[in-house]
Amino acid sequence: MDVQFIVSFALIAATFGLYIGIAIYNKAKATSDFYVAGRGVPPVFNGMAIGADWMSAASFIGMAGTVMVLGYDGLAYIMGWTGGYLLLTFLLAPQLRKYGRYTVPEFIGDRYRSDTARLIAAVATIIISFTYSVGQLSGSGVVIGRLLEVNAAIGTLIGVVLIAFYSALGGMKGITWTQVAQYIVLITAYLIPVIFMALQLTGNPMPWVSYGQVIDELRVLDQELGITEYVVPFTEGTKWQFLALMFTLMAGTAGLPHVIVRFYTVSTMKAARWSGAWALLFIGLLYLSAPAYAAFSRFILMTQVAGSAINDLPTWTASWVDTGLLSVADTDGDGVLQWQEIVISNDIVVMATPEIANLGIFVIGLMAAGAMAAALSTAGGLMIAISAALSHDIYYRSINPNASEKKRLLVGRWSIVLATVIAGLIALNPPGAITQIVAWAFALASGSFFPALLLGVWWKRSNGPGVIAGMIVGLSVTLGYIFAAKYGGFTVLGIIDTGAGVFGAAAAILTNIIVSLATKEPTREAQEEVIDLRYPEQMTYRDGEVWMDDSQDVPNSTK
């Protein structure tokens, strides 16, 4: 048993123990604790929890590698995911918090006065969250498998057991404070290696301002090797794919149920806005670092690995070749490894960085703990979203409205266990790369929830039949395009499966508007309720006028 294994195992075990301890200490005792953490989370800590919920295995493990492989075209992921939070913070989050429900399907059902709409939204929540969670559990398998030297399938199962335990026990209250700890672990693990790489390569410990000079050197290297320049746009896809992917990720972010529910855990609309502001700051630390990771890793591969004798490669390459995620075959038989002969998976760039930069065994173990925190934090939030859809929106609101609080908590906990196990089994043989699987989840959210929420908050004429038709058409178009593009080779303007959300969102919005206008308009009460959402909590809208309200909670914000 080598030292690296011991250090990695100790760090992962220590952080696992911390997460379980937090979950036990914050065990949910009421349904409000289980679903919305009692609505008492301070904005700064909620911002950290949102950051951890958001910065999934795809962000932590895959994004820097995606940018390294795709170059300029990979920036669509960074711009789309970051821009989506601006959409959510300004267009939807405060208004949804004012409405005061537990889940997104519950908002849709009550806003549109339709049990059918709520059930469709609950099913959509389960589909989207399952798709997303497969990517997270697959990521945890990659991390545990590499660092603990076990099969990736065993690593995935370890993640499943841990997530099922602390999510089912603590509910949203436990997960919130667990995610605060996970954010601190993952951001520390992410920043230390890139800061040291910046110091090694540029002499400046600020990678966000120093990696530009490495980009300039990469341009020269690209020209010398006669390959496509790293900073030239639209070399890996059309500009329409770039724009479609960026829109899909932005709209998907604003429509993801497990992200939106985080804004339900604070006390007021103002706190919801501040949660979004803090979240952008915490998320920005990682997202601004990813392009630096990409540039530094590509530079080291081009200067220290490419051009080396095939029998004299850096020692770190051997362990990654064994995983099958790195290929360094000497295809032309000249005994020297050419840049074109290196095939590297998107998913190992960040994980391999401590070894590439020779940062020592402690940093390698810390990186493993950070990657696990990223995968587990998002997976925990996803499981709560699935559980809420099953136990609250389907079981309590549709099947057994007289269920006791104890019974609802029991159903919620077992829903998490069942969902985690099923998602884990699918993750044993994932249908694509982590980043690709996650992009599908965003496409589904942008084709279903984003139009329903956008029109639900900002267009009072939208009604039940409109939202039902819109969600069904949006989901169908998105799923159809994903399958047609991935398995049938069908594309429009070069837009592949990861940009499918642009078609789903357009179809859903158009369908919602047409059907709403062709059917009976909502009641006056329902329309005034929609207008009321746009005013601060001290103001209410009724009888065509804005009224000051003495209480913090307006009439429609309690349930």
Side-chain angles (χ1 to χ4, degrees):
M1 187 177 293
D2 61 16
V3 177
Q4 179 58 67
F5 177 88
I6 295 172
V7 171
S8 298
F9 183 83
L11 282 169
I12 290 177
T15 54
F16 279 13
L18 175 65
Y19 306 151
I20 291 172
I22 291 172
I24 292 173
Y25 182 78
N26 291 285
K27 182 180 179 181
K29 298 180 176 66
T31 50
S32 63
D33 289 339
F34 192 82
Y35 294 123
V36 291
R39 301 198 197 277
V41 182
V44 64
F45 291 112
N46 198 41
M48 280 191 188
I50 291 169
D53 211 353
W54 179 242
M55 290 185 292
S56 62
S59 292
F60 190 100
I61 300 173
M63 190 166 59
T66 299
V67 175
M68 193 199 81
V69 172
L70 299 181
Y72 181 100
D73 293 1
L75 295 179
Y77 284 94
I78 292 176
M79 296 185 333
W81 278 334
T82 308
Y85 255 102
L86 293 172
L87 273 182
L88 180 57
T89 301
F90 290 109
L91 281 182
L92 297 175
Q95 292 78 15
L96 294 176
R97 170 60 193 93
K98 185 177 182 180
Y99 207 76
R101 302 303 189 255
Y102 281 163
T103 67
V104 174
E106 188 174 30
F107 166 81
I108 289 174
D110 291 353
R111 151 62 182 91
Y112 290 102
R113 309 297 199 269
S114 171
D115 289 338
T116 304
R118 188 184 68 251
L119 286 173
I120 293 172
V123 172
T125 296
I126 294 167
I127 294 171
I128 293 165
S129 300
F130 254 111
T131 305
Y132 205 154
S133 62
V134 167
Q136 304 316 303
L137 292 170
S138 176
S140 70
V142 171
V143 176
I144 295 179
R146 169 67 186 89
L147 273 302
L148 300 187
E149 299 176 9
V150 297
N151 187 279
I154 296 175
T156 300
L157 293 177
I158 292 173
V160 166
V161 171
L162 182 69
I163 293 165
F165 180 82
Y166 77 70
S167 299
L169 183 68
M172 180 58 83
K173 184 178 179 182
I175 280 178
T176 296
W177 295 106
T178 300
Q179 286 174 335
V180 170
Q182 287 168 332
Y183 174 79
I184 294 170
V185 171
L186 75 86
I187 203 64
T188 302
Y190 202 82
L191 293 182
I192 286 176
V194 77
I195 288 171
F196 275 97
M197 285 179 81
L199 199 57
Q200 288 177 1
L201 295 176
T202 68
N204 185 336
M206 300 286 287
W208 313 280
V209 296
S210 65
Y211 79 95
Q213 66 187 77
V214 173
I215 293 286
D216 291 335
E217 294 183 50
L218 283 174
R219 283 179 171 176
V220 175
L221 288 170
D222 289 342
Q223 291 169 355
E224 289 176 354
L225 293 171
I227 59 178
T228 303
E229 287 192 44
Y230 184 62
V231 294
V232 174
F234 316 132
T235 57
E236 301 295 326
T238 67
K239 65 180 177 181
W240 299 111
Q241 163 61 16
F242 186 93
L243 293 171
L245 175 59
M246 191 164 61
F247 172 84
T248 296
L249 298 179
M250 287 179 68
T253 299
L256 278 176
H258 81 283
V259 172
I260 292 172
V261 76
R262 288 244 51 95
F263 291 91
Y264 291 171
T265 63
V266 293
S267 56
T268 63
M269 289 178 74
K270 182 179 179 181
R273 288 193 181 95
W274 273 108
S275 294
W278 282 112
L280 280 169
L281 171 64
F282 295 133
I283 291 167
L285 289 175
L286 187 145
Y287 276 41
L288 290 172
S289 304
Y293 258 109
F296 293 154
S297 297
R298 184 180 174 97
F299 181 77
I300 290 174
L301 285 169
M302 295 184 79
T303 56
Q304 297 182 18
V305 179
S308 302
I310 196 70
N311 295 321
D312 191 29
L313 297 175
T315 53
W316 66 265
T317 58
S319 58
W320 283 102
V321 167
D322 292 341
T323 67
L325 299 175
L326 175 68
S327 172
V328 292
D330 181 21
T331 54
D332 60 9
D334 65 354
V336 176
L337 185 66
Q338 311 298 329
W339 172 249
Q340 292 85 345
E341 294 173 331
I342 300 174
V343 180
I344 186 167
S345 167
N346 298 4
D347 296 339
I348 74 165
V349 169
V350 170
M351 292 303 300
T353 293
E355 295 165 89
I356 292 173
N358 196 26
L359 297 180
I361 58 175
F362 178 80
V363 177
I364 296 172
L366 181 64
M367 179 63 79
M372 282 304 303
L376 297 177
S377 61
T378 302
L382 290 164
M383 291 307 139
I384 283 291
I386 293 172
S387 168
L390 287 170
S391 62
H392 185 72
D393 297 312
I394 295 177
Y395 175 73
Y396 174 62
R397 293 296 302 272
S398 298
I399 297 174
N400 187 8
N402 297 317
S404 65
E405 193 159 12
K406 182 178 180 181
K407 181 78 170 178
R408 291 164 62 192
L409 280 172
L410 183 65
V411 173
R413 289 189 165 117
W414 276 110
S415 296
I416 285 178
V417 173
L418 184 64
T420 310
V421 170
I422 294 173
L425 292 175
I426 297 172
L428 295 176
N429 186 25
I434 295 172
T435 310
Q436 185 182 34
I437 295 171
V438 168
W440 295 341
F442 280 81
L444 293 170
S446 63
S448 56
F449 282 128
F450 177 69
L453 296 174
L454 182 70
L455 295 175
V457 169
W458 296 105
W459 190 43
K460 64 180 183 178
R461 182 64 176 78
S462 184
N463 62 15
V467 77
I468 291 169
M471 285 193 294
I472 292 173
V473 169
L475 271 175
S476 302
V477 169
T478 306
L479 280 171
Y481 195 89
I482 289 173
F483 281 102
K486 181 171 175 60
Y487 300 109
F490 172 82
T491 61
V492 176
L493 299 173
I495 298 173
I496 60 174
D497 54 290
T498 51
V502 71
F503 300 108
I509 291 173
L510 196 60
T511 302
N512 191 323
I513 292 172
I514 292 171
V515 174
S516 292
L517 291 175
T519 52
K520 185 179 179 181
E521 68 178 282
T523 63
R524 181 184 176 186
E525 178 192 4
Q527 294 189 50
E528 290 196 345
E529 193 175 73
V530 173
I531 297 173
D532 179 54
L533 291 177
R534 305 167 197 171
Y535 291 93
E537 279 164 314
Q538 288 78 15
M539 299 179 183
T540 59
Y541 182 90
R542 57 183 183 267
D543 299 325
E545 296 179 355
V546 178
W547 293 66
M548 293 299 296
D549 197 313
D550 293 331
S551 65
Q552 279 284 51
D553 289 318
V554 296
N556 71 346
S557 69
T558 56
K559 184 168 172 59

